[in-house]
Amino acid sequence: MRFIEFGQGFSDDDNPLKAGAHATSNALKQLNKYSKHPNIVFLFSSPDYDPEEILNGVKLIMNTKTPVVGGSSKFQIVNNKLLKKGVGIGILYSKYINIGVGVGLGVSINPRESGKKAIQDAMKNLGMIPKFVMVFMDFCKFEEEVLKGIIDVLGITIPIFGGTNTDDFEFKKTYQYCNDVYFDSVVCVAFGGDILPKMAYGNYSETDKSSNTVETKNKTVITETNKRYIYKLNSINALDYYKNISKFKGTYDELQKDRQFYLSHTFGLLNTNGEILLKGPISIKNGVLICGSNIVEGNELKMVNITDEKIKQLFENSTELLINTAPKYDSPLTFCCSSIYLPEISEESVKNSLESSPLNIFGFTSYGEVVLREYMNYTISMCSIVPDLASISAKDGIHMVTKYPATKETILKINEMGGVVKIEELAKALGIHRRTTYDRIEPLLQYGFIEKEHALIKITDFGKLLLKLWI
């Protein structure tokens, strides 16, 4: 029995209207034909497209009542493939999931209030306490403040996942979808119902050999900064210091243009857990190092060289953690928010890691990742959604027994007979006609508590959860 269905589609048609429509059609083909009313559509598209035409193409295929959320992304992650210059669509359907969406405008002017507005609307539309929240926001340089606004309303116990939408390092053509196209906004998607989120992210540590932490004789301390701009390190011009410590051999102009080099030779802050929270530079302009999130004067920085091996390890660590986190149910979908900086360092490594993953991955690339309550850079963050089978079993079981009272006696008898039995044997044990036995087991089959192969019936793992209520 499929409790959650998720279809993925992609199109790189030059016509944005056709690209949106084709990607949506491709995603719908992966859903069961009975999934006529999806809960939500996730849409990530190349910043080179006209976003309004993309959205129109999606709406040509979808029911107009189905919310569409997402935004711009230089790369699209669809069916475990890293793609670009196209449209990626993910369509979610489950009768056990509830969705509420909201949008807050003006994140560059009132970031905290925008975050509050988006989550308030999402929770109001959901109509219940969310199990977790997804966030897509514009690159506004105040992402941490937007997140604080969301937490002000949501509290600290409900997990948050998402990231900042991307373009091709112009930092100007980022946009969001929330049933319409928005700029300078934040979109919140509140998930409720019988589901459980499992989240993980890849990290860096001072003792991590695969990321090659650079050892220096002197500490690297920020001595002059302004939010995300580093002007001086150890009282030396930051660019001069960086060029020396990273051992870059070219000119300053060549360094500024060599994005792959400065993204793979990056500074980070060491936290109390031994993790290095990478900051940048994500760009170099006018001799100034620009970070992906805020830094504070007086903090000590560690330089990390990001290698192909480290990128592979980030994916593997996140994947392993998700698989081994309880409950260990197979997830029909895993959202991946991959830092855009990683494919700039090694596109091949990201591609190989996605394609070799045992998870069913869909997602986008971001300028910054939101995981739990933190805003990070240079990470691979993942969120798997699994059905809360214990809750579903109890609710469906109560509904089934109320409507078909004899089914409780039937499944208890099947269990008493070893959990696997022939129809004829079950009929004899129940003292009823064979035809009546078929009528008795039909609701159990319908709700997925048993499975049938020819004349043999067997209690499923889902059915075993139901039995725990009565045994």
Side-chain angles (χ1 to χ4, degrees):
M1 185 176 182
R2 297 171 68 180
F3 299 97
I4 300 174
E5 293 190 49
F6 191 69
Q8 304 182 45
F10 177 79
S11 174
D12 58 0
D13 196 295
D14 290 337
N15 184 305
L17 186 74
K18 290 181 179 179
H22 290 167
T24 306
S25 296
N26 292 336
L28 282 172
K29 290 175 184 175
Q30 295 185 12
L31 295 178
N32 188 297
K33 64 180 179 179
Y34 300 109
S35 309
K36 295 180 179 179
H37 302 290
N39 302 78
I40 193 165
V41 176
F42 296 93
L43 165 60
F44 299 108
S45 53
S46 168
D48 295 329
Y49 281 121
D50 179 339
E52 291 189 358
E53 282 295 280
I54 293 288
L55 187 59
N56 287 336
V58 174
K59 290 181 176 180
L60 281 176
I61 307 299
M62 292 302 305
N63 184 317
T64 54
K65 293 182 180 179
T66 304
V68 181
V69 298
S72 60
S73 180
K74 180 177 180 179
F75 295 88
Q76 299 79 47
I77 301 172
V78 180
N79 288 317
N80 291 62
K81 294 186 181 298
L82 185 71
L83 305 163
K84 59 182 175 182
K85 298 186 184 303
V87 176
I89 290 284
I91 303 178
L92 175 67
Y93 168 76
S94 174
K95 68 177 182 179
Y96 303 103
I97 294 178
N98 302 98
I99 298 287
V101 301
V103 60
L105 306 180
V107 291
S108 62
I109 302 170
N110 295 303
R112 197 156 183 163
E113 289 303 313
S114 297
K116 289 181 181 180
K117 175 67 164 55
I119 189 60
Q120 284 170 345
D121 286 354
M123 291 175 67
K124 180 180 178 181
N125 291 327
L126 177 64
M128 62 179 70
I129 300 298
K131 292 292 181 70
F132 78 103
V133 170
M134 267 190 172
V135 176
F136 311 108
M137 67 177 106
D138 210 334
F139 181 80
C140 64
K141 301 180 183 178
F142 299 101
E143 290 84 1
E144 296 99 324
E145 286 299 307
V146 177
L147 186 56
K148 286 178 182 177
I150 294 171
I151 295 170
D152 286 343
V153 176
L154 193 64
I156 62 173
T157 59
I158 298 172
I160 308 170
F161 177 85
T164 305
N165 296 113
T166 55
D167 56 11
D168 194 6
F169 284 86
E170 297 176 62
F171 302 99
K172 295 178 180 178
K173 295 170 69 176
T174 53
Y175 52 82
Q176 295 70 53
Y177 293 113
C178 187
N179 300 323
D180 208 334
V181 180
Y182 296 94
F183 294 86
D184 197 30
S185 74
V186 55
V187 173
C188 285
V189 184
F191 287 77
D194 296 313
I195 54 170
L196 297 168
K198 301 199 293 184
M199 297 185 187
Y201 65 91
N203 61 2
Y204 305 81
S205 70
E206 195 170 20
T207 57
D208 187 356
K209 294 181 180 178
S210 67
S211 56
N212 298 322
T213 305
V214 177
E215 295 295 334
T216 58
K217 293 180 181 179
N218 300 315
K219 291 182 178 180
T220 301
V221 178
I222 304 172
T223 49
E224 187 178 337
T225 182
N226 180 20
K227 295 180 180 177
R228 302 187 179 192
Y229 297 84
I230 302 178
Y231 298 107
K232 289 187 178 181
L233 295 168
N234 291 0
S235 300
I236 300 170
N237 176 276
L239 190 58
D240 290 337
Y241 187 94
Y242 176 83
K243 190 170 179 291
N244 179 57
I245 195 175
S246 65
K247 297 181 172 58
F248 185 78
K249 303 300 181 183
T251 65
Y252 292 106
D253 187 56
E254 288 171 337
L255 173 59
Q256 184 168 310
K257 293 178 181 178
D258 195 342
R259 185 187 299 155
Q260 186 182 39
F261 181 87
Y262 63 72
L263 290 179
S264 61
H265 295 73
T266 181
F267 284 122
L269 300 175
L270 184 66
N271 70 10
T272 54
N273 297 322
E275 292 180 339
I276 299 178
L277 306 179
L278 297 188
K279 297 291 184 175
I282 63 167
S283 65
I284 300 173
K285 293 182 179 179
N286 302 320
V288 177
L289 305 182
I290 304 174
C291 295
S293 49
N294 289 340
I295 35 85
V296 179
E297 193 171 300
N299 281 338
E300 180 186 353
L301 296 177
K302 297 283 184 180
M303 173 164 275
V304 175
N305 293 350
I306 304 175
T307 62
D308 282 26
E309 180 61 29
K310 181 58 189 179
I311 293 173
K312 177 183 176 183
Q313 187 187 88
L314 291 173
F315 275 97
E316 289 177 348
N317 289 351
S318 294
T319 299
E320 184 178 350
L321 184 57
L322 286 181
I323 291 173
N324 292 319
T325 298
K328 296 182 181 180
Y329 308 146
D330 290 337
S331 175
L333 73 153
T334 296
F335 288 100
C336 179
C337 183
S338 168
S339 170
I340 193 174
Y341 313 128
L342 300 181
E344 292 295 314
I345 296 168
S346 176
E347 188 172 325
E348 195 65 26
S349 183
V350 175
K351 281 183 177 180
N352 292 339
S353 296
L354 284 167
E355 291 174 7
S356 62
S357 175
L359 302 173
N360 183 29
I361 298 178
F362 172 84
F364 67 110
T365 52
S366 63
Y367 284 133
E369 298 74 59
V370 177
V371 194
L372 302 175
R373 298 184 303 278
E374 303 294 330
Y375 184 70
M376 301 183 178
N377 302 111
Y378 291 86
T379 63
I380 297 293
S381 56
M382 294 185 182
C383 174
S384 290
I385 301 177
V386 297
D388 186 348
L389 294 186
S391 175
I392 293 171
S393 178
K395 289 179 179 178
D396 280 2
I398 291 169
H399 179 77
M400 178 190 66
V401 170
T402 302
K403 193 172 183 181
Y404 311 101
T407 54
K408 178 179 178 181
E409 178 192 4
T410 305
I411 193 171
L412 286 170
K413 182 60 72 173
I414 297 169
N415 183 63
E416 182 185 311
M417 298 175 74
V420 182
V421 65
K422 291 182 178 179
I423 293 287
E424 293 84 353
E425 294 171 354
L426 179 61
K428 185 177 180 180
L430 290 169
I432 58 177
H433 192 273
R434 187 169 178 267
R435 181 65 262 168
T436 306
T437 307
Y438 274 107
D439 292 338
R440 286 259 196 117
I441 67 169
E442 183 58 35
L444 291 167
L445 287 167
Q446 178 187 340
Y447 285 90
F449 295 122
I450 63 171
E451 57 190 12
K452 178 177 174 289
E453 185 174 352
H454 304 299
L456 196 69
I457 53 177
K458 177 184 177 182
I459 296 176
T460 63
D461 290 340
F462 187 49
K464 291 174 183 177
L465 287 173
L466 178 65
L467 285 168
K468 289 182 179 180
L469 297 174
W470 301 321
I471 297 175

